[in-house]
Coordinates of all heavy atoms in Angstrom, one line a residue:
M1 N 0.8 -0.8 -14.6 CA 0.9 -1.0 -13.2 C 2.4 -1.4 -12.9 O 2.9 -2.2 -13.6 CB -0.1 -2.1 -12.8 CG 0.0 -2.3 -11.3 SD -1.2 -3.6 -10.7 CE -2.7 -2.9 -11.3
P2 N 2.9 -0.8 -11.8 CA 4.3 -1.2 -11.5 C 4.4 -2.7 -11.1 O 3.5 -3.2 -10.5 CB 4.7 -0.3 -10.4 CG 3.4 0.3 -9.9 CD 2.4 0.1 -10.9
Q3 N 5.5 -3.3 -11.4 CA 5.7 -4.6 -11.0 C 7.1 -4.7 -10.3 O 7.9 -3.8 -10.4 CB 5.9 -5.5 -12.3 CG 4.6 -5.5 -13.1 CD 3.5 -6.3 -12.6 OE1 3.8 -7.3 -11.9 NE2 2.3 -5.9 -12.7
S4 N 7.3 -5.8 -9.6 CA 8.6 -6.0 -8.9 C 9.6 -6.1 -10.0 O 9.3 -6.7 -11.1 CB 8.6 -7.2 -8.1 OG 9.9 -7.6 -7.6
N5 N 10.8 -5.5 -9.8 CA 11.8 -5.6 -10.9 C 12.6 -6.8 -10.8 O 13.7 -6.9 -11.4 CB 12.6 -4.3 -10.9 CG 13.4 -4.2 -9.6 OD1 13.5 -5.1 -8.8 ND2 14.0 -3.0 -9.4
G6 N 12.2 -7.8 -10.0 CA 13.0 -9.0 -9.9 C 14.2 -8.9 -8.9 O 14.8 -9.9 -8.6
M7 N 14.4 -7.7 -8.3 CA 15.5 -7.5 -7.4 C 14.9 -7.3 -6.0 O 15.6 -6.9 -5.1 CB 16.3 -6.3 -7.8 CG 16.9 -6.5 -9.1 SD 17.8 -5.0 -9.7 CE 19.0 -4.7 -8.5
G8 N 13.6 -7.6 -5.8 CA 13.1 -7.5 -4.5 C 12.6 -6.1 -4.1 O 12.5 -5.9 -2.9
S9 N 12.4 -5.2 -5.0 CA 12.0 -3.9 -4.7 C 10.5 -3.8 -4.4 O 9.7 -4.6 -5.0 CB 12.3 -2.9 -5.8 OG 13.7 -2.8 -5.9
S10 N 10.2 -2.9 -3.5 CA 8.7 -2.7 -3.3 C 8.3 -1.4 -4.1 O 9.1 -0.5 -4.1 CB 8.5 -2.5 -1.8 OG 8.9 -3.6 -1.1
W11 N 7.1 -1.4 -4.6 CA 6.7 -0.3 -5.4 C 5.3 0.2 -4.9 O 4.5 -0.6 -4.5 CB 6.5 -0.7 -6.9 CG 7.8 -1.1 -7.5 CD1 8.3 -2.4 -7.6 CD2 8.7 -0.2 -8.2 NE1 9.5 -2.3 -8.3 CE2 9.8 -1.0 -8.6 CE3 8.8 1.1 -8.4 CZ2 10.9 -0.5 -9.3 CZ3 9.8 1.6 -9.1 CH2 10.9 0.8 -9.5
A12 N 5.1 1.5 -5.0 CA 3.8 2.1 -4.8 C 3.7 3.2 -5.7 O 4.6 4.1 -5.9 CB 3.8 2.6 -3.3
S13 N 2.5 3.3 -6.5 CA 2.3 4.4 -7.4 C 0.8 4.7 -7.5 O 0.0 3.8 -7.3 CB 2.8 4.0 -8.8 OG 2.1 2.9 -9.4
L14 N 0.5 5.9 -7.7 CA -0.9 6.4 -7.8 C -1.2 6.8 -9.2 O -0.4 7.6 -9.8 CB -1.1 7.6 -6.9 CG -2.5 8.2 -6.8 CD1 -3.5 7.2 -6.2 CD2 -2.4 9.4 -6.0
D15 N -2.2 6.2 -9.8 CA -2.6 6.6 -11.2 C -3.7 7.7 -11.1 O -4.2 8.1 -10.1 CB -3.1 5.4 -12.0 CG -4.4 4.8 -11.6 OD1 -5.2 5.5 -10.8 OD2 -4.7 3.7 -12.0
D16 N -4.0 8.2 -12.3 CA -5.0 9.3 -12.4 C -6.4 8.9 -12.1 O -7.2 9.7 -11.8 CB -4.9 9.9 -13.8 CG -3.6 10.6 -14.2 OD1 -2.9 11.0 -13.2 OD2 -3.3 10.7 -15.4
G17 N -6.6 7.6 -12.1 CA -8.0 7.1 -11.8 C -8.3 6.9 -10.3 O -9.3 6.3 -9.9
G18 N -7.3 7.3 -9.4 CA -7.5 7.1 -8.0 C -7.2 5.7 -7.5 O -7.8 5.2 -6.6
V19 N -6.2 5.0 -8.2 CA -5.9 3.7 -7.7 C -4.4 3.7 -7.3 O -3.5 4.1 -8.1 CB -6.0 2.6 -8.9 CG1 -5.5 1.3 -8.4 CG2 -7.5 2.5 -9.3
L20 N -4.2 3.4 -6.0 CA -2.8 3.2 -5.5 C -2.4 1.8 -5.6 O -3.0 0.9 -5.0 CB -2.8 3.6 -4.0 CG -1.4 3.4 -3.3 CD1 -0.4 4.3 -3.9 CD2 -1.6 3.7 -1.8
S21 N -1.5 1.5 -6.5 CA -1.0 0.1 -6.8 C 0.2 -0.1 -6.0 O 1.2 0.7 -6.1 CB -0.7 -0.1 -8.3 OG -1.9 0.1 -9.0
I22 N 0.2 -1.2 -5.2 CA 1.4 -1.6 -4.5 C 1.8 -2.9 -4.9 O 1.0 -3.8 -5.3 CB 1.2 -1.5 -3.0 CG1 0.1 -2.4 -2.5 CG2 0.9 0.0 -2.6 CD1 0.0 -2.5 -1.0
S23 N 3.1 -3.2 -4.9 CA 3.6 -4.5 -5.3 C 5.0 -4.8 -4.7 O 5.5 -3.9 -4.0 CB 3.8 -4.5 -6.9 OG 4.7 -3.6 -7.3
G24 N 5.4 -6.0 -4.9 CA 6.7 -6.4 -4.4 C 6.6 -6.9 -2.9 O 5.5 -7.1 -2.4
P25 N 7.7 -7.0 -2.3 CA 7.7 -7.4 -0.9 C 7.4 -6.3 0.1 O 8.1 -5.3 0.0 CB 9.1 -8.0 -0.7 CG 9.9 -7.3 -1.7 CD 9.0 -7.0 -2.8
W26 N 6.4 -6.4 0.9 CA 6.1 -5.4 1.9 C 6.5 -6.0 3.2 O 5.7 -6.6 4.0 CB 4.6 -5.0 1.9 CG 4.4 -3.9 0.9 CD1 4.7 -4.0 -0.5 CD2 3.8 -2.6 1.1 NE1 4.4 -2.8 -1.1 CE2 3.8 -2.0 -0.2 CE3 3.4 -2.0 2.2 CZ2 3.4 -0.7 -0.3 CZ3 2.9 -0.7 2.0 CH2 2.9 0.0 0.8
L27 N 7.8 -5.9 3.5 CA 8.5 -6.5 4.7 C 9.2 -5.5 5.5 O 9.6 -4.4 5.1 CB 9.5 -7.6 4.1 CG 8.9 -8.7 3.3 CD1 10.0 -9.5 2.6 CD2 8.0 -9.6 4.0
V28 N 9.5 -6.0 6.7 CA 10.3 -5.1 7.7 C 11.6 -4.7 7.1 O 12.0 -3.5 7.3 CB 10.4 -5.8 9.0 CG1 11.4 -7.0 8.9 CG2 10.9 -4.9 10.1
T29 N 12.2 -5.5 6.2 CA 13.5 -5.1 5.6 C 13.3 -4.0 4.6 O 14.3 -3.4 4.1 CB 14.1 -6.3 5.0 OG1 13.2 -6.9 4.1 CG2 14.5 -7.3 6.0
R30 N 12.1 -3.7 4.2 CA 11.8 -2.7 3.2 C 11.0 -1.5 3.7 O 10.6 -0.6 3.0 CB 10.9 -3.3 2.0 CG 11.6 -4.4 1.3 CD 12.8 -3.9 0.5 NE 13.3 -5.0 -0.2 CZ 14.5 -4.9 -0.8 NH1 15.2 -3.8 -0.8 NH2 15.0 -6.0 -1.5
V31 N 10.9 -1.4 5.1 CA 10.1 -0.3 5.6 C 10.6 1.1 5.2 O 9.8 1.9 4.8 CB 10.2 -0.4 7.2 CG1 9.7 0.9 7.8 CG2 9.3 -1.6 7.6
G32 N 11.9 1.3 5.2 CA 12.4 2.6 4.8 C 12.1 2.9 3.3 O 11.7 4.1 3.0
E33 N 12.3 2.0 2.5 CA 12.0 2.1 1.0 C 10.5 2.4 0.8 O 10.2 3.3 0.0 CB 12.4 0.9 0.3 CG 12.1 0.8 -1.2 CD 12.4 -0.5 -1.8 OE1 13.1 -1.3 -1.2 OE2 12.0 -0.7 -2.9
I34 N 9.7 1.7 1.5 CA 8.2 1.9 1.3 C 7.8 3.2 1.8 O 7.0 3.9 1.2 CB 7.5 0.7 2.0 CG1 7.7 -0.6 1.3 CG2 6.0 1.0 2.0 CD1 7.3 -1.9 2.1
C35 N 8.3 3.6 3.0 CA 7.9 4.9 3.5 C 8.4 6.0 2.6 O 7.6 7.0 2.4 CB 8.6 5.1 4.9 SG 7.7 4.2 6.2
D36 N 9.6 5.9 2.1 CA 10.0 6.9 1.1 C 9.1 7.1 -0.1 O 8.8 8.2 -0.5 CB 11.5 6.6 0.6 CG 12.5 6.8 1.7 OD1 12.2 7.5 2.7 OD2 13.7 6.4 1.5
Q37 N 8.7 5.9 -0.6 CA 7.8 6.0 -1.8 C 6.4 6.6 -1.4 O 5.9 7.4 -2.2 CB 7.7 4.6 -2.4 CG 8.9 4.1 -3.1 CD 8.6 2.9 -3.9 OE1 7.5 2.6 -4.4 NE2 9.6 2.1 -4.1
L38 N 5.9 6.1 -0.3 CA 4.6 6.7 0.1 C 4.7 8.2 0.4 O 3.7 8.9 0.0 CB 4.1 5.9 1.4 CG 3.6 4.5 1.1 CD1 3.3 3.8 2.5 CD2 2.4 4.4 0.2
D39 N 5.8 8.6 0.9 CA 6.0 10.1 1.2 C 6.0 10.9 -0.1 O 5.6 12.0 -0.1 CB 7.2 10.3 2.0 CG 7.1 9.9 3.4 OD1 5.9 9.7 3.9 OD2 8.1 9.8 4.1
R40 N 6.5 10.3 -1.2 CA 6.7 11.0 -2.5 C 5.3 11.0 -3.3 O 5.2 11.8 -4.2 CB 7.7 10.3 -3.3 CG 9.1 10.7 -2.9 CD 10.2 10.2 -3.9 NE 10.2 8.8 -4.1 CZ 11.1 8.0 -3.6 NH1 12.0 8.5 -2.8 NH2 11.1 6.7 -3.8
I41 N 4.4 10.2 -2.9 CA 3.1 10.1 -3.6 C 2.2 11.2 -3.1 O 2.0 11.2 -1.9 CB 2.5 8.7 -3.6 CG1 3.4 7.7 -4.3 CG2 1.1 8.7 -4.2 CD1 3.0 6.3 -4.1
R42 N 1.6 11.9 -3.9 CA 0.5 12.9 -3.5 C -0.8 12.2 -3.3 O -1.6 12.1 -4.3 CB 0.5 14.1 -4.4 CG 1.7 14.9 -4.5 CD 1.6 16.2 -5.1 NE 0.8 17.0 -4.2 CZ 0.3 18.1 -4.5 NH1 0.4 18.6 -5.7 NH2 -0.4 18.8 -3.6
L43 N -1.0 11.6 -2.2 CA -2.3 10.9 -1.9 C -3.4 11.9 -1.8 O -3.2 13.0 -1.4 CB -2.1 10.1 -0.6 CG -1.1 8.9 -0.7 CD1 -0.9 8.3 0.6 CD2 -1.5 7.9 -1.7
P44 N -4.6 11.5 -2.2 CA -5.7 12.4 -2.2 C -6.1 12.8 -0.7 O -5.9 12.1 0.2 CB -6.9 11.6 -2.8 CG -6.5 10.2 -2.6 CD -5.0 10.1 -2.6
L45 N -6.6 14.0 -0.6 CA -7.1 14.5 0.7 C -8.6 14.4 0.8 O -9.1 14.6 1.9 CB -6.7 16.0 0.8 CG -5.2 16.3 0.7 CD1 -5.0 17.8 0.8 CD2 -4.5 15.6 1.8
S46 N -9.2 14.0 -0.2 CA -10.7 13.7 -0.2 C -11.1 12.8 -1.3 O -10.2 12.5 -2.2 CB -11.5 15.0 -0.3 OG -11.2 15.7 -1.5
G47 N -12.3 12.4 -1.4 CA -12.8 11.6 -2.5 C -12.6 10.1 -2.2 O -12.6 9.7 -1.1
K48 N -12.3 9.4 -3.3 CA -12.2 7.9 -3.2 C -10.8 7.5 -3.6 O -10.1 8.1 -4.5 CB -13.2 7.2 -4.2 CG -14.6 7.5 -3.7 CD -15.6 6.7 -4.6 CE -17.0 7.0 -4.1 NZ -18.0 6.1 -4.7
L49 N -10.3 6.4 -3.0 CA -9.0 5.8 -3.4 C -9.1 4.3 -3.2 O -9.6 3.8 -2.2 CB -7.9 6.3 -2.4 CG -6.5 5.7 -2.6 CD1 -5.9 6.2 -3.9 CD2 -5.6 6.0 -1.5
A50 N -8.8 3.6 -4.3 CA -8.7 2.1 -4.2 C -7.2 1.7 -4.1 O -6.4 2.3 -4.8 CB -9.2 1.5 -5.5
V51 N -6.9 0.9 -3.2 CA -5.6 0.3 -3.0 C -5.6 -1.1 -3.5 O -6.2 -1.9 -3.0 CB -5.1 0.4 -1.5 CG1 -3.7 -0.1 -1.3 CG2 -5.3 1.8 -0.9
E52 N -4.8 -1.3 -4.6 CA -4.7 -2.5 -5.3 C -3.5 -3.3 -4.7 O -2.3 -2.9 -4.8 CB -4.5 -2.3 -6.8 CG -4.4 -3.6 -7.6 CD -5.6 -4.5 -7.4 OE1 -6.7 -4.0 -7.8 OE2 -5.4 -5.6 -6.9
L53 N -3.8 -4.5 -4.1 CA -2.7 -5.3 -3.5 C -2.4 -6.5 -4.3 O -1.5 -7.4 -3.9 CB -3.1 -5.8 -2.1 CG -3.1 -4.7 -1.0 CD1 -4.5 -4.0 -0.9 CD2 -2.8 -5.3 0.3
E54 N -3.0 -6.7 -5.4 CA -2.8 -7.9 -6.2 C -1.4 -8.3 -6.5 O -1.1 -9.5 -6.6 CB -3.6 -7.8 -7.5 CG -3.5 -9.0 -8.4 CD -4.3 -8.8 -9.7 OE1 -5.0 -7.8 -9.9 OE2 -4.2 -9.7 -10.6
H55 N -0.5 -7.4 -6.6 CA 0.9 -7.7 -7.0 C 1.9 -7.7 -5.8 O 3.1 -7.6 -6.0 CB 1.4 -6.8 -8.1 CG 0.6 -7.0 -9.4 ND1 0.7 -8.1 -10.2 CD2 -0.4 -6.2 -10.0 CE1 -0.1 -8.0 -11.2 NE2 -0.8 -6.9 -11.1
V56 N 1.3 -7.6 -4.6 CA 2.2 -7.7 -3.5 C 2.7 -9.2 -3.3 O 1.8 -10.1 -3.2 CB 1.5 -7.3 -2.2 CG1 2.3 -7.5 -0.9 CG2 1.1 -5.8 -2.3
E57 N 4.0 -9.4 -3.4 CA 4.5 -10.7 -3.4 C 4.4 -11.4 -2.0 O 4.1 -12.5 -1.8 CB 5.9 -10.7 -3.8 CG 6.1 -10.3 -5.3 CD 7.5 -9.9 -5.6 OE1 8.4 -10.1 -4.8 OE2 7.7 -9.4 -6.8
V58 N 4.7 -10.6 -1.0 CA 4.7 -11.1 0.4 C 4.5 -9.9 1.3 O 5.0 -8.8 1.0 CB 6.0 -11.9 0.7 CG1 7.2 -11.1 0.6 CG2 5.9 -12.6 2.1
M59 N 3.8 -10.1 2.4 CA 3.6 -9.0 3.4 C 3.8 -9.6 4.8 O 3.2 -10.6 5.1 CB 2.2 -8.4 3.2 CG 1.9 -7.3 4.2 SD 0.2 -6.6 3.9 CE 0.4 -5.6 2.5
D60 N 4.6 -8.9 5.6 CA 4.7 -9.3 7.0 C 3.9 -8.2 7.9 O 3.3 -7.3 7.3 CB 6.1 -9.5 7.4 CG 7.0 -8.2 7.4 OD1 6.4 -7.1 7.2 OD2 8.2 -8.3 7.6
T61 N 4.0 -8.4 9.2 CA 3.3 -7.5 10.0 C 3.7 -6.0 9.9 O 2.9 -5.1 10.0 CB 3.4 -7.9 11.5 OG1 4.7 -8.0 11.9 CG2 2.6 -9.2 11.8
A62 N 5.0 -5.8 9.6 CA 5.5 -4.4 9.4 C 4.9 -3.8 8.1 O 4.5 -2.7 8.2 CB 7.1 -4.4 9.3
G63 N 4.9 -4.6 7.1 CA 4.3 -4.1 5.8 C 2.8 -3.9 6.0 O 2.3 -2.9 5.5
A64 N 2.1 -4.8 6.7 CA 0.7 -4.6 7.0 C 0.5 -3.3 7.8 O -0.5 -2.6 7.6 CB 0.1 -5.8 7.7
W65 N 1.3 -3.1 8.8 CA 1.2 -1.9 9.7 C 1.3 -0.6 8.9 O 0.6 0.3 9.0 CB 2.2 -2.0 10.8 CG 2.1 -0.7 11.7 CD1 1.2 -0.5 12.6 CD2 3.0 0.4 11.6 NE1 1.5 0.8 13.2 CE2 2.5 1.3 12.5 CE3 4.1 0.7 10.8 CZ2 3.2 2.6 12.7 CZ3 4.7 2.0 11.0 CH2 4.2 2.8 11.9
L66 N 2.3 -0.6 7.9 CA 2.5 0.6 7.1 C 1.3 0.9 6.2 O 0.8 2.0 6.1 CB 3.7 0.5 6.2 CG 5.1 0.6 6.8 CD1 6.2 0.2 5.9 CD2 5.3 2.0 7.4
L67 N 0.7 -0.2 5.7 CA -0.5 0.0 4.9 C -1.7 0.4 5.8 O -2.4 1.3 5.4 CB -0.8 -1.3 4.1 CG -2.1 -1.2 3.2 CD1 -2.0 -0.1 2.2 CD2 -2.3 -2.6 2.6
Y68 N -1.9 -0.2 6.9 CA -2.9 0.1 7.8 C -2.8 1.6 8.3 O -3.8 2.3 8.3 CB -2.9 -0.8 9.1 CG -3.8 -0.4 10.2 CD1 -5.1 -0.7 10.2 CD2 -3.3 0.4 11.2 CE1 -6.0 -0.3 11.1 CE2 -4.2 0.8 12.3 CZ -5.5 0.5 12.2 OH -6.3 0.9 13.2
R69 N -1.6 2.0 8.6 CA -1.3 3.4 9.1 C -1.7 4.4 8.0 O -2.4 5.4 8.2 CB 0.1 3.6 9.5 CG 0.5 4.9 9.9 CD 2.0 5.1 10.1 NE 2.6 5.1 8.8 CZ 3.8 5.5 8.6 NH1 4.6 5.8 9.6 NH2 4.3 5.6 7.4
T70 N -1.3 4.1 6.7 CA -1.6 5.0 5.6 C -3.2 5.0 5.4 O -3.7 6.1 5.2 CB -0.9 4.5 4.3 OG1 0.5 4.4 4.6 CG2 -1.2 5.3 3.2
V71 N -3.8 3.9 5.4 CA -5.3 3.9 5.1 C -6.0 4.6 6.3 O -6.9 5.4 6.0 CB -5.8 2.4 5.0 CG1 -7.3 2.3 5.1 CG2 -5.2 1.8 3.7
K72 N -5.6 4.4 7.5 CA -6.2 5.0 8.6 C -6.1 6.5 8.6 O -7.1 7.2 8.8 CB -5.6 4.5 9.9 CG -6.2 5.1 11.2 CD -5.5 4.4 12.4 CE -6.2 4.9 13.7 NZ -5.8 6.1 14.2
K73 N -5.0 7.0 8.2 CA -4.7 8.5 8.1 C -5.6 9.1 7.0 O -6.2 10.1 7.2 CB -3.2 8.7 7.8 CG -2.9 10.2 7.6 CD -1.4 10.4 7.3 CE -1.1 11.8 7.0 NZ 0.3 12.0 6.6
L74 N -5.7 8.4 5.9 CA -6.5 8.8 4.7 C -8.0 8.8 5.1 O -8.7 9.8 4.8 CB -6.3 8.0 3.5 CG -5.0 8.1 2.8 CD1 -4.7 7.0 1.8 CD2 -4.9 9.5 2.1
R75 N -8.5 7.8 5.8 CA -9.9 7.8 6.2 C -10.2 8.9 7.2 O -11.3 9.4 7.2 CB -10.2 6.4 6.8 CG -10.3 5.3 5.7 CD -10.6 4.0 6.2 NE -10.8 3.0 5.1 CZ -10.7 1.7 5.2 NH1 -10.4 1.1 6.4 NH2 -10.9 0.9 4.2
E76 N -9.3 9.1 8.1 CA -9.5 10.2 9.1 C -9.6 11.6 8.4 O -10.2 12.5 8.9 CB -8.3 10.3 10.1 CG -8.4 9.1 11.1 CD -7.1 9.0 12.0 OE1 -6.2 9.8 11.8 OE2 -7.2 8.2 12.9
Q77 N -8.9 11.7 7.2 CA -9.0 12.9 6.4 C -10.3 13.0 5.6 O -10.5 14.0 4.9 CB -7.8 13.1 5.5 CG -6.5 13.3 6.3 CD -5.3 13.2 5.3 OE1 -5.4 12.8 4.2 NE2 -4.2 13.6 5.9
G78 N -11.0 11.9 5.6 CA -12.3 11.9 4.8 C -12.2 11.2 3.5 O -13.2 11.2 2.7
V79 N -11.1 10.5 3.2 CA -11.0 9.7 1.9 C -11.7 8.4 2.1 O -11.5 7.7 3.1 CB -9.5 9.5 1.6 CG1 -9.4 8.7 0.3 CG2 -8.8 10.9 1.5
D80 N -12.5 8.0 1.1 CA -13.2 6.7 1.1 C -12.2 5.7 0.5 O -12.0 5.7 -0.7 CB -14.4 6.8 0.3 CG -15.2 5.5 0.2 OD1 -14.9 4.6 1.0 OD2 -16.1 5.4 -0.7
V81 N -11.5 4.9 1.3 CA -10.5 4.0 0.9 C -11.0 2.6 0.9 O -11.7 2.1 1.8 CB -9.3 4.0 1.8 CG1 -8.2 3.1 1.4 CG2 -8.7 5.4 2.0
V82 N -10.8 1.9 -0.2 CA -11.2 0.4 -0.4 C -9.9 -0.3 -0.7 O -9.1 0.1 -1.5 CB -12.3 0.2 -1.4 CG1 -13.6 0.8 -1.0 CG2 -11.9 0.7 -2.8
L83 N -9.7 -1.5 -0.1 CA -8.6 -2.4 -0.4 C -9.2 -3.5 -1.3 O -10.2 -4.0 -1.1 CB -8.1 -3.0 0.9 CG -7.6 -2.0 1.9 CD1 -7.1 -2.7 3.2 CD2 -6.4 -1.1 1.4
R84 N -8.4 -3.8 -2.3 CA -8.8 -4.9 -3.2 C -7.6 -5.7 -3.7 O -6.5 -5.2 -3.7 CB -9.6 -4.4 -4.4 CG -8.8 -3.4 -5.3 CD -9.7 -2.8 -6.3 NE -8.9 -2.2 -7.3 CZ -9.4 -1.3 -8.2 NH1 -10.7 -0.9 -8.2 NH2 -8.6 -0.7 -9.1
G85 N -7.9 -7.0 -4.0 CA -6.8 -7.8 -4.4 C -6.0 -8.5 -3.4 O -4.9 -9.1 -3.7
A86 N -6.3 -8.3 -2.1 CA -5.5 -8.9 -1.0 C -5.7 -10.4 -0.9 O -6.8 -10.9 -1.1 CB -5.8 -8.2 0.3
T87 N -4.7 -11.1 -0.5 CA -4.9 -12.6 -0.3 C -5.5 -12.7 1.1 O -5.6 -11.8 1.9 CB -3.5 -13.3 -0.3 OG1 -2.7 -12.8 0.8 CG2 -2.7 -13.1 -1.6
K88 N -5.9 -13.9 1.4 CA -6.5 -14.3 2.7 C -5.5 -13.9 3.8 O -5.9 -13.4 4.8 CB -6.9 -15.7 2.7 CG -7.8 -16.1 3.9 CD -8.2 -17.6 3.7 CE -9.3 -17.9 4.6 NZ -9.8 -19.3 4.5
A89 N -4.2 -14.3 3.6 CA -3.2 -14.1 4.6 C -3.0 -12.6 4.8 O -2.8 -12.1 6.0 CB -1.9 -14.7 4.2
Q90 N -3.0 -11.8 3.8 CA -2.9 -10.3 3.9 C -4.1 -9.7 4.6 O -3.9 -8.9 5.5 CB -2.8 -9.7 2.5 CG -1.4 -10.0 1.9 CD -1.4 -9.7 0.4 OE1 -2.5 -9.4 -0.3 NE2 -0.2 -9.7 -0.2
W91 N -5.3 -10.2 4.3 CA -6.5 -9.7 5.1 C -6.4 -10.0 6.5 O -6.7 -9.2 7.4 CB -7.8 -10.4 4.5 CG -8.3 -9.7 3.3 CD1 -8.5 -10.3 2.1 CD2 -8.7 -8.4 3.1 NE1 -9.0 -9.4 1.2 CE2 -9.1 -8.2 1.8 CE3 -8.8 -7.3 4.0 CZ2 -9.6 -7.0 1.3 CZ3 -9.3 -6.1 3.5 CH2 -9.7 -5.9 2.2
M92 N -5.9 -11.2 6.9 CA -5.7 -11.5 8.3 C -4.7 -10.6 9.0 O -5.0 -10.2 10.1 CB -5.3 -13.0 8.4 CG -6.3 -14.0 8.1 SD -5.8 -15.7 8.1 CE -5.4 -15.9 9.8
L93 N -3.7 -10.2 8.3 CA -2.7 -9.2 8.9 C -3.3 -7.8 9.0 O -3.0 -7.1 10.0 CB -1.5 -9.1 8.0 CG -0.5 -10.3 8.1 CD1 0.6 -10.1 7.0 CD2 0.1 -10.4 9.5
L94 N -4.2 -7.5 8.1 CA -4.7 -6.1 8.1 C -5.9 -5.9 9.0 O -6.3 -4.8 9.3 CB -5.1 -5.7 6.6 CG -3.9 -5.6 5.7 CD1 -4.4 -5.6 4.2 CD2 -3.2 -4.3 6.0
E95 N -6.5 -7.0 9.5 CA -7.7 -6.9 10.3 C -7.4 -6.6 11.7 O -6.6 -6.6 12.4 CB -8.6 -8.2 10.3 CG -9.2 -8.3 8.9 CD -10.1 -9.6 8.9 OE1 -9.9 -10.5 9.6 OE2 -11.1 -9.5 8.1

């Protein structure tokens, strides 16, 4: 699973098991970087997807909005998306 490289980078990667792992800071200062990574990932058009937030170091409203927007789009396409590993503070931002 990708980890923050200690330089404050945000990471997003999809494994073969249908798990989208995100990590690092999901902040307004990283919006461009996060969008670029999400655009490069071939997200499923159907089936199931788990989004693992366990290694997200910090998330602000901009980061939560990017995740919300991505999940909403996938669900509208028929993908069964579940979020897991979020902190209480992250859940509050995402609700």
Side-chain angles (χ1 to χ4, degrees):
M1 179 179 306
Q3 300 285 324
S4 172
N5 63 10
M7 297 173 61
S9 294
S10 302
W11 295 92
S13 66
L14 182 65
D15 71 14
D16 293 336
V19 177
L20 176 64
S21 298
I22 63 175
S23 62
W26 277 56
L27 301 170
V28 68
T29 56
R30 299 291 183 192
V31 166
E33 176 185 348
I34 294 166
C35 285
D36 288 347
Q37 286 192 28
L38 289 173
D39 288 345
R40 285 192 294 260
I41 296 172
R42 295 197 71 192
L43 294 171
L45 300 176
S46 62
K48 295 183 179 188
L49 177 70
V51 180
E52 179 60 61
L53 289 89
E54 182 179 352
H55 297 286
V56 173
E57 296 166 7
V58 62
M59 180 181 283
D60 65 9
T61 54
W65 177 80
L66 285 174
L67 181 57
Y68 170 82
R69 180 188 74 165
T70 302
V71 169
K72 183 176 186 276
K73 179 180 175 184
L74 290 167
R75 286 179 175 159
E76 288 171 353
Q77 294 172 346
V79 179
D80 180 15
V81 181
V82 295
L83 302 176
R84 61 186 193 198
T87 65
K88 192 175 196 178
Q90 290 165 347
W91 279 118
M92 290 176 63
L93 286 171
L94 292 164
E95 289 183 333

